[in-house]
Amino acid sequence: MTPVCPFTKASRPDDASGKRAGENQNRQQTVNDNKGQQDSAISPKCPFGYDSQTFKLGPLSCMICQALLFQCSKCVPCSHVFCKACISRFKDCPLCGADIEKIEDDLNLQSVVDRFIEGHARIKRSQVDSEKEDDDDKKTVIYEDVSLERGAFLMQQAMRALRANNIESAKSRFSVCAEDVREQLNTMGNTPELCSQLGAVLGMLGDCCRSTGDATSAISYFEESVDSLMKVPRDNSEITHTLSVSLNKIGDLKYYEGDLQAARSYYFQALDVRRNAMSHHSGVPSQVIDVAVSIAKVADVDRNLGNEDTATSGFEEAIKLLESLTISAEEVGLEQRRLSVLEFLNGQLGKK
């Protein structure tokens, strides 16, 4: 028997067996009762709101980062609980204003959160309890967990934590997502969907490491992200963008380390990916701007390597691309970006 969410209070099969068709509140159930032998579906929802339909803050949420609690820490004396990284920034409790005398680990609540993650929001599944009797009131009842797939659920929580600068929480949730996708890859093979999911999650893990100054781990995650995304066909603009961004981020980290040759290699790979994308979607302004940015990155490294003529040629090519680009009046953000990049490029030519 496949386990369902331990926090779900679903109707039992015998709850509905004694009801007449006219007494049912659910329209679909009424139809099924009239048919007699057809299945009825009961879709339970987690009372905490962690499902695909709604989201609400609950007892397992940190009120500061608004994500699932991570490293639960209790304020003394008020006993309000937050993520350790979140509450460490405060001297007074954000909920009640009481002075925080000390902060204690709440291992019991953290255990509940961990069990919640393990038991909740896995891949959707159905549980069938068949009835072989011919009684009209007894039917096959299908229980389906409507919660988000665990990977999507934890991605949602990780992004909330990341936006609130709770990096360790985000990193922990992204890591579980990556493990889940890897398990599916081992079972289903390198499907485009799974490879793109893994590439995106690994890129997020790279961002977490980069924000904490761990460049070595960040590069490792970005490289693995690139390897995964390289297995996906290049006909999806989002995949192309994610791939080029990961390559550029590796280039940036190599640049800051002083390894200019390696930086140029990654920047050039990103440029190649973006050129190919632009050739297939020539009318997309955002991709033209991306190409101009990549050309500028390569040109900047060329200048630092002493190749001034090559650098100048690159900056001029990027300027020409942006000056020939027409953006509609509705796309104000893109136009501002185009002008910003253009200003930077003209400034670089002025340094000759």
Side-chain angles (χ1 to χ4, degrees), residues 289 292-293 296 319 322 327 332-348:
I289 297 174
V293 170
I319 289 171
L322 294 179
I327 298 178
V332 178
L334 273 180
E335 176 61 13
Q336 290 177 342
R337 186 181 174 215
R338 183 187 77 88
L339 293 174
S340 176
V341 175
L342 195 55
E343 181 182 2
F344 168 79
L345 292 168
N346 284 314
Q348 293 302 306

Side-chain angles (χ1 to χ4, degrees), residues 68-278:
L68 278 178
L69 286 162
F70 179 73
Q71 296 179 337
C72 296
S73 298
K74 181 169 60 178
C75 298
V76 177
C78 68
S79 297
H80 288 130
V81 181
F82 308 91
C83 297
K84 186 174 184 178
C86 293
I87 194 57
S88 63
R89 306 168 196 159
F90 292 83
K91 294 182 179 180
D92 302 326
C93 175
L95 280 179
C96 67
D99 291 341
I100 300 175
E101 296 179 3
K102 63 177 179 177
I103 297 174
E104 296 178 344
D105 294 338
D106 192 334
L107 299 180
N108 289 333
L109 183 55
Q110 186 60 55
S111 176
V112 173
V113 175
D114 293 341
R115 285 187 287 112
F116 176 81
I117 292 173
E118 287 301 313
H120 192 281
R122 286 190 178 275
I123 298 173
K124 289 184 180 181
R125 66 269 184 182
S126 296
Q127 175 179 316
V128 178
D129 185 8
S130 61
E131 298 284 355
K132 296 182 180 179
E133 291 83 359
D134 293 331
D135 186 356
D136 288 348
D137 287 333
K138 293 194 174 182
K139 301 166 289 299
T140 299
V141 180
I142 300 174
Y143 291 91
E144 184 181 81
D145 187 344
V146 298
S147 303
L148 285 170
E149 177 185 9
R150 186 168 79 159
F153 169 73
L154 288 178
M155 276 289 287
Q156 180 190 73
Q157 300 302 309
M159 292 303 295
R160 286 173 175 266
L162 189 60
R163 285 194 295 267
N165 203 34
N166 190 348
I167 304 301
E168 290 305 316
S169 174
K171 189 176 178 182
S172 174
R173 308 313 185 203
F174 284 135
S175 295
V176 176
C177 292
E179 291 173 10
D180 281 2
V181 178
R182 286 191 179 102
E183 286 181 9
Q184 294 180 64
L185 282 167
N186 289 335
T187 303
M188 302 173 63
N190 293 327
T191 67
E193 181 181 3
L194 290 175
C195 288
S196 61
Q197 287 178 5
L198 184 59
V201 174
L202 291 170
M204 294 291 186
L205 278 167
D207 287 334
C208 290
C209 293
R210 187 173 65 163
S211 66
T212 59
D214 186 358
T216 301
S217 296
I219 289 174
S220 178
Y221 279 125
F222 287 136
E223 287 179 339
E224 194 176 352
S225 172
V226 167
D227 290 341
S228 184
L229 293 171
M230 285 289 192
K231 300 172 184 175
V232 182
R234 309 288 176 79
D235 54 357
N236 185 299
S237 60
E238 288 187 12
I239 300 300
T240 300
H241 179 74
T242 305
L243 175 59
S244 62
V245 166
S246 289
L247 287 166
N248 271 329
K249 286 177 178 177
I250 300 173
D252 290 342
L253 290 167
K254 293 292 185 181
Y255 186 97
Y256 298 142
E257 288 178 352
D259 190 348
L260 296 182
Q261 291 290 355
R264 190 186 190 283
S265 174
Y266 283 108
Y267 286 152
F268 193 81
Q269 290 179 63
L271 173 58
D272 187 51
V273 169
R274 288 177 169 177
R275 282 192 193 279
N276 288 334
M278 190 177 71

